[in-house]
């Protein structure tokens, strides 16, 4: 895997929007064939004078799914959500107190499916206002940010053969710890999807053989 990251000063909001707009149409994605619950997550970006970071949450040990894992704000689409973007913004407001008006939407990433039965649409947005996050105590134990250039460095992640509690095993992306947090699984796949869209990483594929 080669890293093709250009200098961060070249990454602009407009370039991100253009890269996301160039992705294949939703109808061409076969990731969610079958009975899945529609869900959306917000992939929040923060631009510190040209140095871009991605925002994550760590889920509490009391939530129903993905206990204690690093995630993006998000959840199932509800009847009041007019669009997937509405769902992602609503969940971000409920989970970490991120006002919808503080987010400039930039586009969508390809669909992903989860082992818990969700068809997830990642919605990318830039946080354009200063925000004091207010994590929902029952859902989120921490909010933190990671530089995009660190996420794009192939020395910081690897494919691992992972066996889940239900006995199912597969190749999964795991990052090295960053500030005590480990990004892996679907969240790591979304990160790679975004970086590949930018051209910062080649499209990553799991090894051909099981260990």
């Amino acid at each position: 895997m080669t890293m093709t990251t250009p200098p961060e000063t070249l990454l602009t909001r407009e370039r991100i929007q253009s890269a996301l707009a160039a992705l294949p149409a939703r109808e061409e994605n076969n990731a969610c064939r079958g009975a899945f619950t529609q869900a959306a997550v917000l992939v929040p970006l923060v631009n510190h004078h040209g140095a871009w970071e991605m925002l994550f949450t760590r889920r509490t040990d009391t939530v129903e799914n993905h206990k204690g894992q690093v995630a993006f704000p998000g959840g199932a689409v509800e009847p009041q959500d007019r669009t997937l973007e509405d769902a992602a913004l609503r969940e971000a407001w409920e989970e970490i107190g991120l006002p919808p008006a503080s987010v400039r939407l930039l586009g969508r990433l390809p669909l992903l499916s989860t082992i818990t039965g969700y068809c997830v649409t990642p919605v990318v947005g830039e946080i354009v206002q200063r925000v004091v996050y207010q994590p929902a105590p029952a859902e989120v134990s921490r909010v933190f940010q990671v530089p995009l250039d660190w996420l794009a460095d192939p020395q910081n992640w690897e494919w691992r053969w992972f066996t889940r509690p239900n006995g199912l095993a597969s190749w999964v992306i795991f990052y090295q710890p960053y500030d005590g947090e480990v990004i892996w699984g679907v969240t790591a796949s979304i990160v790679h999807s975004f970086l590949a869209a930018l051209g910062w990483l080649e499209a990553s594929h799991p090894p051909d053989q099981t260990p």
Side-chain angles (χ1 to χ4, degrees), residues 7-199:
E8 279 198 309
T9 53
L10 296 181
L11 184 60
T12 63
R13 177 189 303 155
E14 291 74 22
R15 181 165 179 256
I16 295 172
Q17 289 176 310
S18 177
L20 297 177
L23 293 174
R26 179 185 179 92
E27 291 75 15
E28 300 175 23
N29 188 309
N30 296 322
C32 295
R33 288 187 178 276
F36 286 91
T37 299
Q38 292 297 314
V41 299
L42 183 67
V43 182
L45 302 175
V46 180
N47 183 0
H48 293 294
H49 305 290
W52 289 83
E53 297 185 347
M54 188 172 280
L55 182 145
F56 299 88
T57 68
R58 189 204 314 134
R59 296 169 65 81
T60 66
D61 292 327
T62 57
V63 292
E64 182 177 355
N65 294 315
H66 310 297
K67 301 178 188 295
Q69 294 183 17
V70 172
F72 292 112
V77 176
E78 297 186 357
Q80 70 267 32
D81 299 320
R82 295 173 299 172
T83 65
L84 291 163
E85 285 74 13
D86 282 350
L89 292 172
R90 174 185 52 76
E91 288 282 349
W93 167 247
E94 294 174 356
E95 290 184 15
I96 63 173
L98 178 63
S102 70
V103 180
R104 183 189 296 267
L105 297 175
L106 303 180
R108 297 178 180 178
L109 290 167
L111 299 170
L112 294 94
S113 60
T114 73
I115 62 169
T116 49
Y118 289 95
C119 178
V120 181
T121 297
V123 177
V124 180
E126 180 189 356
I127 300 174
V128 294
Q129 299 175 8
R130 185 175 181 84
V131 177
V132 177
Y133 303 111
Q134 299 177 348
E139 297 187 64
V140 177
S141 59
R142 188 185 181 196
V143 179
F144 64 99
Q145 296 172 194
V146 182
L148 282 187
D149 59 351
W150 188 91
L151 292 166
D153 189 337
Q155 295 185 9
N156 293 329
W157 64 270
E158 64 184 2
W159 287 98
R160 296 182 193 172
W161 185 252
F162 180 72
T163 303
R164 297 172 174 82
N166 62 4
L168 293 177
S170 64
W171 289 105
V172 176
I173 300 169
F174 275 82
Y175 272 89
Q176 299 299 321
Y178 183 91
D179 194 21
E181 306 291 350
V182 177
I183 302 165
W184 67 283
V186 170
T187 302
S189 294
I190 293 173
V191 172
H192 275 216
S193 177
F194 176 72
L195 294 172
L198 293 182

Side-chain angles (χ1 to χ4, degrees), residues 1-4 152-155 157 159 173 192 196 200-206:
M1 180 66 61
T2 59
M3 181 178 177
T4 58
D153 189 337
Q155 295 185 9
W157 64 270
W159 287 98
I173 300 169
H192 275 216
W200 282 32
L201 277 182
E202 297 175 358
S204 56
H205 302 284

